Amino acid sequence: MLRSIAVILTLLLAGCSQGKGLTVIPQDAHSLDHYALGLRDMREGRYLLAREHFVLAKATARDMDMTRRCDAEIAATDRAIHGLR
């Protein structure tokens, strides 16, 4: 399922590259997998594991948008962890 999400996102991004000189760099499959696993772990209340997945997703991110999304999710997991203390 995660692979199909990566393929769909890649196809959508490739469809956006109709302008001259515009280059679309698809996301790394591992980055998308870790991001999806982090979201699942957040839903299930496993905040430390979710944070680890978001850090791994950020490490393999290929653009600033993915990096910012990972940073936002890392901050959310940190708030959730601190809220439990």
Side-chain angles (χ1 to χ4, degrees), residues 36-76:
L37 290 170
L39 293 175
R40 183 199 65 194
D41 291 335
M42 280 288 288
R43 280 193 313 270
E44 295 174 359
R46 297 183 294 201
Y47 303 119
L48 290 174
L49 187 57
R51 187 180 195 290
E52 183 70 23
H53 283 296
F54 292 132
V55 168
L56 290 170
K58 181 181 176 181
T60 56
R62 291 186 178 171
D63 63 12
M64 287 305 295
D65 181 51
M66 183 62 148
T67 301
R68 285 187 199 114
R69 282 188 278 160
C70 291
D71 285 337
E73 294 298 336
I74 291 167

Side-chain angles (χ1 to χ4, degrees), residues 2-83:
L2 295 176
R3 296 281 182 210
S4 62
I5 292 172
V7 170
I8 291 170
L9 287 175
T10 302
L11 291 175
L12 287 173
L13 290 174
C16 295
S17 64
Q18 295 175 357
K20 281 189 170 183
L22 179 64
T23 303
V24 176
I25 300 171
Q27 286 296 335
D28 182 73
H30 295 294
S31 184
L32 292 172
D33 287 344
H34 282 294
Y35 189 81
L37 290 170
L39 293 175
R40 183 199 65 194
D41 291 335
M42 280 288 288
R43 280 193 313 270
E44 295 174 359
R46 297 183 294 201
Y47 303 119
L48 290 174
L49 187 57
R51 187 180 195 290
E52 183 70 23
H53 283 296
F54 292 132
V55 168
L56 290 170
K58 181 181 176 181
T60 56
R62 291 186 178 171
D63 63 12
M64 287 305 295
D65 181 51
M66 183 62 148
T67 301
R68 285 187 199 114
R69 282 188 278 160
C70 291
D71 285 337
E73 294 298 336
I74 291 167
T77 57
D78 287 343
R79 286 190 302 273
I81 292 167
H82 290 289

